[in-house]
Amino acid sequence: PNPTKRDAADALACARSILAGIAAWSQELQALGEPPVEVGVGLHIGEAFVGAIGDDARLEFTVAGDVVNVAARMEEATKAAGANLVATAEFVAAAGEKTRDWRALRGLEIRGKSATIKAFADDGR
């Protein structure tokens, strides 16, 4: 509820940590003859509606807004980009990252938007 200048950098660190954990788990599964596990993470930044919705019988925490939809589309774009992590240019800048360290995704069209989105893929480091 209290935004800070570190929010995007912290979210990126969290995403990378999750992806590293999934990659390690996937290797363990493959060593046992199981199929690999792959996860895509999409990141965007902006204001969202956040809160609990429901009643005493069923209460859920949710987030809503255009920023949530764009982040979901970034996650969908991971497959086409061949990367586990895709972020909008706004997010990359807010995280304090240099775009030269990311692979630019040219003219990314996403469902629900009339204009293309400037986005980048993190091919892992």
Side-chain angles (χ1 to χ4, degrees), residues 112-125:
K113 292 286 183 185
S114 58
T116 59
I117 299 288
K118 189 172 183 180
F120 295 89
D122 181 3
D123 292 321
R125 284 181 254 158

Side-chain angles (χ1 to χ4, degrees), residues 21-85:
I22 295 289
W25 178 48
S26 184
Q27 287 180 342
E28 292 173 13
L29 290 173
Q30 287 179 310
L32 298 171
E34 298 291 328
V37 174
E38 293 189 27
V39 174
V41 175
L43 298 170
H44 185 45
I45 192 164
E47 291 188 19
F49 297 99
V50 180
I53 296 177
D55 58 24
D56 291 339
R58 183 178 170 132
L59 188 63
E60 294 183 9
F61 183 80
T62 192
V63 292
D66 186 61
V67 66
V68 178
N69 295 334
V70 172
R73 302 303 179 262
M74 292 298 101
E75 182 273 327
E76 290 173 0
T78 61
K79 292 176 187 169
N84 292 75
L85 179 59

Side-chain angles (χ1 to χ4, degrees), residues 1-5 7:
N2 301 311
T4 72
K5 292 181 180 184
D7 290 347

Side-chain angles (χ1 to χ4, degrees), residues 97-117:
E97 293 277 301
K98 294 177 176 47
T99 57
R100 69 174 178 254
D101 295 335
W102 294 65
R103 177 170 43 98
L105 301 177
R106 304 275 182 234
L108 183 63
E109 294 181 12
I110 60 172
R111 187 168 32 104
K113 292 286 183 185
S114 58
T116 59
I117 299 288

